[in-house]
mmCIF file with all atom_site columns, all heavy atoms in Angstrom:
data_model
loop_
_atom_site.group_PDB
_atom_site.id
_atom_site.type_symbol
_atom_site.label_atom_id
_atom_site.label_alt_id
_atom_site.label_comp_id
_atom_site.label_asym_id
_atom_site.label_entity_id
_atom_site.label_seq_id
_atom_site.pdbx_PDB_ins_code
_atom_site.Cartn_x
_atom_site.Cartn_y
_atom_site.Cartn_z
_atom_site.occupancy
_atom_site.B_iso_or_equiv
_atom_site.pdbx_formal_charge
_atom_site.auth_seq_id
_atom_site.auth_comp_id
_atom_site.auth_asym_id
_atom_site.auth_atom_id
_atom_site.pdbx_PDB_model_num
ATOM 1   N N   . VAL S 1 1  ? 0.846  -1.188 -0.042  1.00 92.00 ? 1  VAL S N   1
ATOM 2   C CA  . VAL S 1 1  ? -0.029 0.002  -0.006  1.00 92.00 ? 1  VAL S CA  1
ATOM 3   C C   . VAL S 1 1  ? 0.890  1.250  -0.028  1.00 92.00 ? 1  VAL S C   1
ATOM 4   O O   . VAL S 1 1  ? 0.567  2.221  -0.671  1.00 92.00 ? 1  VAL S O   1
ATOM 5   C CB  . VAL S 1 1  ? -0.962 -0.004 1.195   1.00 92.00 ? 1  VAL S CB  1
ATOM 6   C CG1 . VAL S 1 1  ? -1.632 1.345  1.348   1.00 92.00 ? 1  VAL S CG1 1
ATOM 7   C CG2 . VAL S 1 1  ? -1.981 -1.101 1.116   1.00 92.00 ? 1  VAL S CG2 1
ATOM 8   N N   . ALA S 1 2  ? 1.948  1.246  0.851   1.00 91.00 ? 2  ALA S N   1
ATOM 9   C CA  . ALA S 1 2  ? 2.844  2.412  0.907   1.00 91.00 ? 2  ALA S CA  1
ATOM 10  C C   . ALA S 1 2  ? 3.469  2.631  -0.473  1.00 91.00 ? 2  ALA S C   1
ATOM 11  O O   . ALA S 1 2  ? 3.510  3.898  -0.972  1.00 91.00 ? 2  ALA S O   1
ATOM 12  C CB  . ALA S 1 2  ? 3.924  2.140  1.906   1.00 91.00 ? 2  ALA S CB  1
ATOM 13  N N   . MET S 1 3  ? 3.907  1.634  -1.215  1.00 91.00 ? 3  MET S N   1
ATOM 14  C CA  . MET S 1 3  ? 4.514  1.810  -2.531  1.00 91.00 ? 3  MET S CA  1
ATOM 15  C C   . MET S 1 3  ? 3.509  2.294  -3.606  1.00 91.00 ? 3  MET S C   1
ATOM 16  O O   . MET S 1 3  ? 3.774  3.037  -4.471  1.00 91.00 ? 3  MET S O   1
ATOM 17  C CB  . MET S 1 3  ? 5.223  0.456  -2.953  1.00 91.00 ? 3  MET S CB  1
ATOM 18  C CG  . MET S 1 3  ? 6.439  0.086  -2.089  1.00 91.00 ? 3  MET S CG  1
ATOM 19  S SD  . MET S 1 3  ? 7.193  -1.408 -2.685  1.00 91.00 ? 3  MET S SD  1
ATOM 20  C CE  . MET S 1 3  ? 7.986  -0.888 -4.152  1.00 91.00 ? 3  MET S CE  1
ATOM 21  N N   . THR S 1 4  ? 2.258  1.750  -3.459  1.00 91.00 ? 4  THR S N   1
ATOM 22  C CA  . THR S 1 4  ? 1.227  2.124  -4.277  1.00 91.00 ? 4  THR S CA  1
ATOM 23  C C   . THR S 1 4  ? 0.856  3.630  -4.174  1.00 91.00 ? 4  THR S C   1
ATOM 24  O O   . THR S 1 4  ? 0.710  4.353  -5.125  1.00 91.00 ? 4  THR S O   1
ATOM 25  C CB  . THR S 1 4  ? -0.090 1.269  -4.081  1.00 91.00 ? 4  THR S CB  1
ATOM 26  O OG1 . THR S 1 4  ? 0.326  -0.121 -4.215  1.00 91.00 ? 4  THR S OG1 1
ATOM 27  C CG2 . THR S 1 4  ? -1.110 1.649  -5.084  1.00 91.00 ? 4  THR S CG2 1
ATOM 28  N N   . LEU S 1 5  ? 0.791  4.054  -2.973  1.00 87.00 ? 5  LEU S N   1
ATOM 29  C CA  . LEU S 1 5  ? 0.525  5.475  -2.720  1.00 87.00 ? 5  LEU S CA  1
ATOM 30  C C   . LEU S 1 5  ? 1.658  6.366  -3.203  1.00 87.00 ? 5  LEU S C   1
ATOM 31  O O   . LEU S 1 5  ? 1.392  7.414  -3.793  1.00 87.00 ? 5  LEU S O   1
ATOM 32  C CB  . LEU S 1 5  ? 0.444  5.743  -1.174  1.00 87.00 ? 5  LEU S CB  1
ATOM 33  C CG  . LEU S 1 5  ? -0.937 5.313  -0.532  1.00 87.00 ? 5  LEU S CG  1
ATOM 34  C CD1 . LEU S 1 5  ? -0.879 5.513  0.936   1.00 87.00 ? 5  LEU S CD1 1
ATOM 35  C CD2 . LEU S 1 5  ? -2.080 6.171  -1.086  1.00 87.00 ? 5  LEU S CD2 1
ATOM 36  N N   . GLN S 1 6  ? 2.933  5.889  -3.011  1.00 86.00 ? 6  GLN S N   1
ATOM 37  C CA  . GLN S 1 6  ? 4.125  6.566  -3.583  1.00 86.00 ? 6  GLN S CA  1
ATOM 38  C C   . GLN S 1 6  ? 3.940  6.780  -5.064  1.00 86.00 ? 6  GLN S C   1
ATOM 39  O O   . GLN S 1 6  ? 4.277  7.808  -5.648  1.00 86.00 ? 6  GLN S O   1
ATOM 40  C CB  . GLN S 1 6  ? 5.353  5.859  -3.184  1.00 86.00 ? 6  GLN S CB  1
ATOM 41  C CG  . GLN S 1 6  ? 6.653  6.683  -3.563  1.00 86.00 ? 6  GLN S CG  1
ATOM 42  C CD  . GLN S 1 6  ? 7.859  5.794  -3.255  1.00 86.00 ? 6  GLN S CD  1
ATOM 43  O OE1 . GLN S 1 6  ? 7.761  4.740  -2.674  1.00 86.00 ? 6  GLN S OE1 1
ATOM 44  N NE2 . GLN S 1 6  ? 9.069  6.339  -3.657  1.00 86.00 ? 6  GLN S NE2 1
ATOM 45  N N   . THR S 1 7  ? 3.496  5.729  -5.748  1.00 87.00 ? 7  THR S N   1
ATOM 46  C CA  . THR S 1 7  ? 3.338  5.789  -7.194  1.00 87.00 ? 7  THR S CA  1
ATOM 47  C C   . THR S 1 7  ? 2.178  6.789  -7.533  1.00 87.00 ? 7  THR S C   1
ATOM 48  O O   . THR S 1 7  ? 2.366  7.470  -8.568  1.00 87.00 ? 7  THR S O   1
ATOM 49  C CB  . THR S 1 7  ? 2.980  4.389  -7.754  1.00 87.00 ? 7  THR S CB  1
ATOM 50  O OG1 . THR S 1 7  ? 3.933  3.454  -7.283  1.00 87.00 ? 7  THR S OG1 1
ATOM 51  C CG2 . THR S 1 7  ? 2.944  4.333  -9.292  1.00 87.00 ? 7  THR S CG2 1
ATOM 52  N N   . SER S 1 8  ? 1.150  6.805  -6.812  1.00 84.00 ? 8  SER S N   1
ATOM 53  C CA  . SER S 1 8  ? 0.042  7.664  -7.246  1.00 84.00 ? 8  SER S CA  1
ATOM 54  C C   . SER S 1 8  ? 0.427  9.140  -6.958  1.00 84.00 ? 8  SER S C   1
ATOM 55  O O   . SER S 1 8  ? -0.024 10.001 -7.651  1.00 84.00 ? 8  SER S O   1
ATOM 56  C CB  . SER S 1 8  ? -1.187 7.363  -6.354  1.00 84.00 ? 8  SER S CB  1
ATOM 57  O OG  . SER S 1 8  ? -0.964 7.616  -4.953  1.00 84.00 ? 8  SER S OG  1
ATOM 58  N N   . PHE S 1 9  ? 1.389  9.401  -5.966  1.00 81.00 ? 9  PHE S N   1
ATOM 59  C CA  . PHE S 1 9  ? 1.834  10.718 -5.821  1.00 81.00 ? 9  PHE S CA  1
ATOM 60  C C   . PHE S 1 9  ? 2.630  11.244 -6.986  1.00 81.00 ? 9  PHE S C   1
ATOM 61  O O   . PHE S 1 9  ? 2.858  12.508 -7.122  1.00 81.00 ? 9  PHE S O   1
ATOM 62  C CB  . PHE S 1 9  ? 2.710  10.815 -4.545  1.00 81.00 ? 9  PHE S CB  1
ATOM 63  C CG  . PHE S 1 9  ? 1.783  10.581 -3.246  1.00 81.00 ? 9  PHE S CG  1
ATOM 64  C CD1 . PHE S 1 9  ? 2.478  10.013 -2.137  1.00 81.00 ? 9  PHE S CD1 1
ATOM 65  C CD2 . PHE S 1 9  ? 0.533  10.889 -3.198  1.00 81.00 ? 9  PHE S CD2 1
ATOM 66  C CE1 . PHE S 1 9  ? 1.719  9.758  -1.031  1.00 81.00 ? 9  PHE S CE1 1
ATOM 67  C CE2 . PHE S 1 9  ? -0.259 10.591 -2.065  1.00 81.00 ? 9  PHE S CE2 1
ATOM 68  C CZ  . PHE S 1 9  ? 0.376  10.103 -0.992  1.00 81.00 ? 9  PHE S CZ  1
ATOM 69  N N   . LEU S 1 10 ? 3.214  10.343 -7.788  1.00 85.00 ? 10 LEU S N   1
ATOM 70  C CA  . LEU S 1 10 ? 4.038  10.631 -8.960  1.00 85.00 ? 10 LEU S CA  1
ATOM 71  C C   . LEU S 1 10 ? 3.286  10.721 -10.242 1.00 85.00 ? 10 LEU S C   1
ATOM 72  O O   . LEU S 1 10 ? 3.762  11.367 -11.197 1.00 85.00 ? 10 LEU S O   1
ATOM 73  C CB  . LEU S 1 10 ? 5.205  9.681  -9.043  1.00 85.00 ? 10 LEU S CB  1
ATOM 74  C CG  . LEU S 1 10 ? 6.472  9.936  -8.255  1.00 85.00 ? 10 LEU S CG  1
ATOM 75  C CD1 . LEU S 1 10 ? 7.496  8.792  -8.523  1.00 85.00 ? 10 LEU S CD1 1
ATOM 76  C CD2 . LEU S 1 10 ? 7.085  11.164 -8.627  1.00 85.00 ? 10 LEU S CD2 1
ATOM 77  N N   . THR S 1 11 ? 2.239  9.944  -10.317 1.00 82.00 ? 11 THR S N   1
ATOM 78  C CA  . THR S 1 11 ? 1.648  9.644  -11.630 1.00 82.00 ? 11 THR S CA  1
ATOM 79  C C   . THR S 1 11 ? 0.800  10.807 -12.122 1.00 82.00 ? 11 THR S C   1
ATOM 80  O O   . THR S 1 11 ? -0.015 11.352 -11.488 1.00 82.00 ? 11 THR S O   1
ATOM 81  C CB  . THR S 1 11 ? 0.644  8.455  -11.524 1.00 82.00 ? 11 THR S CB  1
ATOM 82  O OG1 . THR S 1 11 ? 1.435  7.354  -10.918 1.00 82.00 ? 11 THR S OG1 1
ATOM 83  C CG2 . THR S 1 11 ? 0.108  8.019  -12.852 1.00 82.00 ? 11 THR S CG2 1
ATOM 84  N N   . PRO S 1 12 ? 1.070  11.271 -13.441 1.00 80.00 ? 12 PRO S N   1
ATOM 85  C CA  . PRO S 1 12 ? 0.196  12.263 -14.082 1.00 80.00 ? 12 PRO S CA  1
ATOM 86  C C   . PRO S 1 12 ? -1.183 11.832 -14.225 1.00 80.00 ? 12 PRO S C   1
ATOM 87  O O   . PRO S 1 12 ? -1.364 10.555 -14.307 1.00 80.00 ? 12 PRO S O   1
ATOM 88  C CB  . PRO S 1 12 ? 0.887  12.488 -15.432 1.00 80.00 ? 12 PRO S CB  1
ATOM 89  C CG  . PRO S 1 12 ? 2.281  11.886 -15.251 1.00 80.00 ? 12 PRO S CG  1
ATOM 90  C CD  . PRO S 1 12 ? 2.147  10.829 -14.277 1.00 80.00 ? 12 PRO S CD  1
ATOM 91  N N   . PRO S 1 13 ? -2.220 12.653 -14.303 1.00 73.00 ? 13 PRO S N   1
ATOM 92  C CA  . PRO S 1 13 ? -2.033 14.079 -14.247 1.00 73.00 ? 13 PRO S CA  1
ATOM 93  C C   . PRO S 1 13 ? -2.197 14.782 -12.858 1.00 73.00 ? 13 PRO S C   1
ATOM 94  O O   . PRO S 1 13 ? -2.023 15.885 -12.755 1.00 73.00 ? 13 PRO S O   1
ATOM 95  C CB  . PRO S 1 13 ? -3.184 14.533 -15.159 1.00 73.00 ? 13 PRO S CB  1
ATOM 96  C CG  . PRO S 1 13 ? -4.268 13.559 -14.892 1.00 73.00 ? 13 PRO S CG  1
ATOM 97  C CD  . PRO S 1 13 ? -3.591 12.265 -14.620 1.00 73.00 ? 13 PRO S CD  1
ATOM 98  N N   . MET S 1 14 ? -2.536 13.931 -11.808 1.00 70.00 ? 14 MET S N   1
ATOM 99  C CA  . MET S 1 14 ? -2.914 14.534 -10.535 1.00 70.00 ? 14 MET S CA  1
ATOM 100 C C   . MET S 1 14 ? -1.904 14.344 -9.463  1.00 70.00 ? 14 MET S C   1
ATOM 101 O O   . MET S 1 14 ? -2.115 14.635 -8.274  1.00 70.00 ? 14 MET S O   1
ATOM 102 C CB  . MET S 1 14 ? -4.231 13.903 -10.118 1.00 70.00 ? 14 MET S CB  1
ATOM 103 C CG  . MET S 1 14 ? -5.374 14.095 -11.048 1.00 70.00 ? 14 MET S CG  1
ATOM 104 S SD  . MET S 1 14 ? -5.875 15.853 -11.196 1.00 70.00 ? 14 MET S SD  1
ATOM 105 C CE  . MET S 1 14 ? -6.619 16.115 -9.573  1.00 70.00 ? 14 MET S CE  1
ATOM 106 N N   . GLY S 1 15 ? -0.705 13.714 -9.808  1.00 75.00 ? 15 GLY S N   1
ATOM 107 C CA  . GLY S 1 15 ? 0.304  13.440 -8.779  1.00 75.00 ? 15 GLY S CA  1
ATOM 108 C C   . GLY S 1 15 ? 0.675  14.689 -7.996  1.00 75.00 ? 15 GLY S C   1
ATOM 109 O O   . GLY S 1 15 ? 1.143  15.691 -8.639  1.00 75.00 ? 15 GLY S O   1
ATOM 110 N N   . PRO S 1 16 ? 0.592  14.694 -6.614  1.00 77.00 ? 16 PRO S N   1
ATOM 111 C CA  . PRO S 1 16 ? 0.897  15.909 -5.863  1.00 77.00 ? 16 PRO S CA  1
ATOM 112 C C   . PRO S 1 16 ? 2.312  16.356 -6.026  1.00 77.00 ? 16 PRO S C   1
ATOM 113 O O   . PRO S 1 16 ? 2.610  17.616 -6.023  1.00 77.00 ? 16 PRO S O   1
ATOM 114 C CB  . PRO S 1 16 ? 0.598  15.534 -4.399  1.00 77.00 ? 16 PRO S CB  1
ATOM 115 C CG  . PRO S 1 16 ? -0.346 14.368 -4.541  1.00 77.00 ? 16 PRO S CG  1
ATOM 116 C CD  . PRO S 1 16 ? -0.052 13.671 -5.803  1.00 77.00 ? 16 PRO S CD  1
ATOM 117 N N   . ALA S 1 17 ? 3.248  15.417 -6.145  1.00 81.00 ? 17 ALA S N   1
ATOM 118 C CA  . ALA S 1 17 ? 4.690  15.733 -6.266  1.00 81.00 ? 17 ALA S CA  1
ATOM 119 C C   . ALA S 1 17 ? 4.911  16.586 -7.531  1.00 81.00 ? 17 ALA S C   1
ATOM 120 O O   . ALA S 1 17 ? 5.822  17.458 -7.539  1.00 81.00 ? 17 ALA S O   1
ATOM 121 C CB  . ALA S 1 17 ? 5.580  14.496 -6.291  1.00 81.00 ? 17 ALA S CB  1
ATOM 122 N N   . ILE S 1 18 ? 4.114  16.364 -8.584  1.00 82.00 ? 18 ILE S N   1
ATOM 123 C CA  . ILE S 1 18 ? 4.290  17.102 -9.835  1.00 82.00 ? 18 ILE S CA  1
ATOM 124 C C   . ILE S 1 18 ? 4.014  18.595 -9.548  1.00 82.00 ? 18 ILE S C   1
ATOM 125 O O   . ILE S 1 18 ? 4.721  19.482 -10.042 1.00 82.00 ? 18 ILE S O   1
ATOM 126 C CB  . ILE S 1 18 ? 3.341  16.591 -10.862 1.00 82.00 ? 18 ILE S CB  1
ATOM 127 C CG1 . ILE S 1 18 ? 3.720  15.121 -11.245 1.00 82.00 ? 18 ILE S CG1 1
ATOM 128 C CG2 . ILE S 1 18 ? 3.276  17.477 -12.147 1.00 82.00 ? 18 ILE S CG2 1
ATOM 129 C CD1 . ILE S 1 18 ? 2.791  14.496 -12.152 1.00 82.00 ? 18 ILE S CD1 1
ATOM 130 N N   . PHE S 1 19 ? 2.987  18.884 -8.838  1.00 78.00 ? 19 PHE S N   1
ATOM 131 C CA  . PHE S 1 19 ? 2.606  20.268 -8.523  1.00 78.00 ? 19 PHE S CA  1
ATOM 132 C C   . PHE S 1 19 ? 3.502  20.924 -7.468  1.00 78.00 ? 19 PHE S C   1
ATOM 133 O O   . PHE S 1 19 ? 3.707  22.208 -7.562  1.00 78.00 ? 19 PHE S O   1
ATOM 134 C CB  . PHE S 1 19 ? 1.144  20.332 -8.110  1.00 78.00 ? 19 PHE S CB  1
ATOM 135 C CG  . PHE S 1 19 ? 0.168  19.857 -9.166  1.00 78.00 ? 19 PHE S CG  1
ATOM 136 C CD1 . PHE S 1 19 ? -0.367 18.589 -8.996  1.00 78.00 ? 19 PHE S CD1 1
ATOM 137 C CD2 . PHE S 1 19 ? -0.096 20.557 -10.281 1.00 78.00 ? 19 PHE S CD2 1
ATOM 138 C CE1 . PHE S 1 19 ? -1.248 18.133 -9.973  1.00 78.00 ? 19 PHE S CE1 1
ATOM 139 C CE2 . PHE S 1 19 ? -0.990 20.148 -11.245 1.00 78.00 ? 19 PHE S CE2 1
ATOM 140 C CZ  . PHE S 1 19 ? -1.532 18.856 -11.177 1.00 78.00 ? 19 PHE S CZ  1
ATOM 141 N N   . PHE S 1 20 ? 4.196  20.184 -6.634  1.00 78.00 ? 20 PHE S N   1
ATOM 142 C CA  . PHE S 1 20 ? 5.221  20.681 -5.803  1.00 78.00 ? 20 PHE S CA  1
ATOM 143 C C   . PHE S 1 20 ? 6.302  21.251 -6.647  1.00 78.00 ? 20 PHE S C   1
ATOM 144 O O   . PHE S 1 20 ? 6.909  22.304 -6.451  1.00 78.00 ? 20 PHE S O   1
ATOM 145 C CB  . PHE S 1 20 ? 5.717  19.594 -4.806  1.00 78.00 ? 20 PHE S CB  1
ATOM 146 C CG  . PHE S 1 20 ? 4.757  19.363 -3.630  1.00 78.00 ? 20 PHE S CG  1
ATOM 147 C CD1 . PHE S 1 20 ? 4.414  18.051 -3.376  1.00 78.00 ? 20 PHE S CD1 1
ATOM 148 C CD2 . PHE S 1 20 ? 4.226  20.398 -2.908  1.00 78.00 ? 20 PHE S CD2 1
ATOM 149 C CE1 . PHE S 1 20 ? 3.614  17.706 -2.252  1.00 78.00 ? 20 PHE S CE1 1
ATOM 150 C CE2 . PHE S 1 20 ? 3.426  20.175 -1.884  1.00 78.00 ? 20 PHE S CE2 1
ATOM 151 C CZ  . PHE S 1 20 ? 3.104  18.783 -1.478  1.00 78.00 ? 20 PHE S CZ  1
ATOM 152 N N   . ILE S 1 21 ? 6.730  20.435 -7.661  1.00 82.00 ? 21 ILE S N   1
ATOM 153 C CA  . ILE S 1 21 ? 7.797  20.868 -8.490  1.00 82.00 ? 21 ILE S CA  1
ATOM 154 C C   . ILE S 1 21 ? 7.461  22.108 -9.298  1.00 82.00 ? 21 ILE S C   1
ATOM 155 O O   . ILE S 1 21 ? 8.303  23.104 -9.320  1.00 82.00 ? 21 ILE S O   1
ATOM 156 C CB  . ILE S 1 21 ? 8.162  19.740 -9.575  1.00 82.00 ? 21 ILE S CB  1
ATOM 157 C CG1 . ILE S 1 21 ? 8.684  18.450 -8.818  1.00 82.00 ? 21 ILE S CG1 1
ATOM 158 C CG2 . ILE S 1 21 ? 9.188  20.308 -10.553 1.00 82.00 ? 21 ILE S CG2 1
ATOM 159 C CD1 . ILE S 1 21 ? 10.040 18.689 -8.069  1.00 82.00 ? 21 ILE S CD1 1
ATOM 160 N N   . GLN S 1 22 ? 6.322  22.212 -9.821  1.00 77.00 ? 22 GLN S N   1
ATOM 161 C CA  . GLN S 1 22 ? 5.927  23.360 -10.623 1.00 77.00 ? 22 GLN S CA  1
ATOM 162 C C   . GLN S 1 22 ? 5.697  24.553 -9.680  1.00 77.00 ? 22 GLN S C   1
ATOM 163 O O   . GLN S 1 22 ? 6.003  25.748 -10.135 1.00 77.00 ? 22 GLN S O   1
ATOM 164 C CB  . GLN S 1 22 ? 4.678  23.095 -11.410 1.00 77.00 ? 22 GLN S CB  1
ATOM 165 C CG  . GLN S 1 22 ? 4.378  24.157 -12.445 1.00 77.00 ? 22 GLN S CG  1
ATOM 166 C CD  . GLN S 1 22 ? 3.159  24.029 -13.248 1.00 77.00 ? 22 GLN S CD  1
ATOM 167 O OE1 . GLN S 1 22 ? 2.049  23.671 -12.668 1.00 77.00 ? 22 GLN S OE1 1
ATOM 168 N NE2 . GLN S 1 22 ? 3.211  24.133 -14.554 1.00 77.00 ? 22 GLN S NE2 1
ATOM 169 N N   . GLY S 1 23 ? 5.331  24.325 -8.454  1.00 75.00 ? 23 GLY S N   1
ATOM 170 C CA  . GLY S 1 23 ? 5.202  25.483 -7.510  1.00 75.00 ? 23 GLY S CA  1
ATOM 171 C C   . GLY S 1 23 ? 6.528  26.060 -7.167  1.00 75.00 ? 23 GLY S C   1
ATOM 172 O O   . GLY S 1 23 ? 6.663  27.281 -6.997  1.00 75.00 ? 23 GLY S O   1
ATOM 173 N N   . VAL S 1 24 ? 7.583  25.274 -7.137  1.00 72.00 ? 24 VAL S N   1
ATOM 174 C CA  . VAL S 1 24 ? 8.899  25.777 -6.781  1.00 72.00 ? 24 VAL S CA  1
ATOM 175 C C   . VAL S 1 24 ? 9.569  26.456 -8.024  1.00 72.00 ? 24 VAL S C   1
ATOM 176 O O   . VAL S 1 24 ? 10.219 27.477 -7.907  1.00 72.00 ? 24 VAL S O   1
ATOM 177 C CB  . VAL S 1 24 ? 9.819  24.586 -6.321  1.00 72.00 ? 24 VAL S CB  1
ATOM 178 C CG1 . VAL S 1 24 ? 11.257 25.019 -6.151  1.00 72.00 ? 24 VAL S CG1 1
ATOM 179 C CG2 . VAL S 1 24 ? 9.234  24.054 -4.953  1.00 72.00 ? 24 VAL S CG2 1
ATOM 180 N N   . ASN S 1 25 ? 9.410  25.795 -9.187  1.00 72.00 ? 25 ASN S N   1
ATOM 181 C CA  . ASN S 1 25 ? 10.099 26.287 -10.413 1.00 72.00 ? 25 ASN S CA  1
ATOM 182 C C   . ASN S 1 25 ? 9.014  26.401 -11.597 1.00 72.00 ? 25 ASN S C   1
ATOM 183 O O   . ASN S 1 25 ? 8.735  25.406 -12.234 1.00 72.00 ? 25 ASN S O   1
ATOM 184 C CB  . ASN S 1 25 ? 11.262 25.366 -10.793 1.00 72.00 ? 25 ASN S CB  1
ATOM 185 C CG  . ASN S 1 25 ? 12.090 26.056 -11.817 1.00 72.00 ? 25 ASN S CG  1
ATOM 186 O OD1 . ASN S 1 25 ? 11.704 26.809 -12.675 1.00 72.00 ? 25 ASN S OD1 1
ATOM 187 N ND2 . ASN S 1 25 ? 13.408 25.793 -11.759 1.00 72.00 ? 25 ASN S ND2 1
ATOM 188 N N   . GLN S 1 26 ? 8.352  27.498 -11.726 1.00 70.00 ? 26 GLN S N   1
ATOM 189 C CA  . GLN S 1 26 ? 7.261  27.715 -12.678 1.00 70.00 ? 26 GLN S CA  1
ATOM 190 C C   . GLN S 1 26 ? 7.830  27.845 -14.090 1.00 70.00 ? 26 GLN S C   1
ATOM 191 O O   . GLN S 1 26 ? 7.028  27.882 -15.063 1.00 70.00 ? 26 GLN S O   1
ATOM 192 C CB  . GLN S 1 26 ? 6.440  28.911 -12.291 1.00 70.00 ? 26 GLN S CB  1
ATOM 193 C CG  . GLN S 1 26 ? 5.739  28.752 -10.965 1.00 70.00 ? 26 GLN S CG  1
ATOM 194 C CD  . GLN S 1 26 ? 4.893  29.862 -10.556 1.00 70.00 ? 26 GLN S CD  1
ATOM 195 O OE1 . GLN S 1 26 ? 4.801  30.888 -11.348 1.00 70.00 ? 26 GLN S OE1 1
ATOM 196 N NE2 . GLN S 1 26 ? 4.274  29.818 -9.483  1.00 70.00 ? 26 GLN S NE2 1
ATOM 197 N N   . ASP S 1 27 ? 9.177  27.878 -14.273 1.00 76.00 ? 27 ASP S N   1
ATOM 198 C CA  . ASP S 1 27 ? 9.800  27.921 -15.556 1.00 76.00 ? 27 ASP S CA  1
ATOM 199 C C   . ASP S 1 27 ? 9.688  26.620 -16.323 1.00 76.00 ? 27 ASP S C   1
ATOM 200 O O   . ASP S 1 27 ? 9.843  26.518 -17.515 1.00 76.00 ? 27 ASP S O   1
ATOM 201 C CB  . ASP S 1 27 ? 11.252 28.398 -15.564 1.00 76.00 ? 27 ASP S CB  1
ATOM 202 C CG  . ASP S 1 27 ? 11.312 29.878 -15.030 1.00 76.00 ? 27 ASP S CG  1
ATOM 203 O OD1 . ASP S 1 27 ? 10.354 30.631 -15.206 1.00 76.00 ? 27 ASP S OD1 1
ATOM 204 O OD2 . ASP S 1 27 ? 12.362 30.180 -14.474 1.00 76.00 ? 27 ASP S OD2 1
#
């Protein structure tokens, strides 16, 4: 379950980690 959640945090289009990256560097 932990690894599955980790995957969902990365997976487009809704992965939270993706929006953390764009929030830090909008370029």
Side-chain angles (χ1 to χ4, degrees):
V1 170
M3 294 182 72
T4 303
L5 283 174
Q6 184 183 356
T7 306
S8 67
F9 294 151
L10 272 179
T11 305
M14 301 294 292
I18 294 172
F19 298 104
F20 283 132
I21 295 293
Q22 193 180 44
V24 171
N25 194 326
Q26 297 181 359
D27 293 334

